[in-house]
Amino acid sequence: MKLLIDAGNSHIKWASLEGNELSPMETGTLDADADSILPATIFGLRRPELVVVSNVAGHRVAQAI
């Protein structure tokens, strides 16, 4: 499974890719005061073999991811 993450300025989106099957995209809000950048639901996924990230949200978000 590959995990695809897109971190924008105010939202984070993710989906998983297994073979040619893309899961429905899920979203969360990037909150500057949040304890965690990634929503807890992302941790319910099994461990990916590869993580691909697109990030325009800055250094703090990049470090958290």
Side-chain angles (χ1 to χ4, degrees), residues 39-52:
T41 55
I42 204 168
F43 298 109
L45 299 172
R46 72 174 203 275
R47 185 181 176 121
E49 62 191 56
L50 176 72
V51 178
V52 178

Side-chain angles (χ1 to χ4, degrees), residues 14-63:
W14 66 95
S16 61
L17 179 66
E18 295 208 41
N20 292 327
E21 296 290 321
L22 184 64
S23 73
M25 183 173 44
E26 298 190 51
T27 64
T29 301
L30 289 174
D31 184 351
D33 298 324
D35 292 337
S36 175
I37 296 297
L38 298 174
T41 55
I42 204 168
F43 298 109
L45 299 172
R46 72 174 203 275
R47 185 181 176 121
E49 62 191 56
L50 176 72
V51 178
V52 178
V53 178
S54 170
N55 174 35
V56 298
H59 181 72
R60 182 183 72 86
V61 172
Q63 291 298 317

Side-chain angles (χ1 to χ4, degrees), residues 3-17:
L3 177 60
L4 313 174
I5 300 174
D6 176 20
N9 290 313
S10 60
H11 288 84
I12 188 165
K13 300 175 281 292
W14 66 95
S16 61
L17 179 66

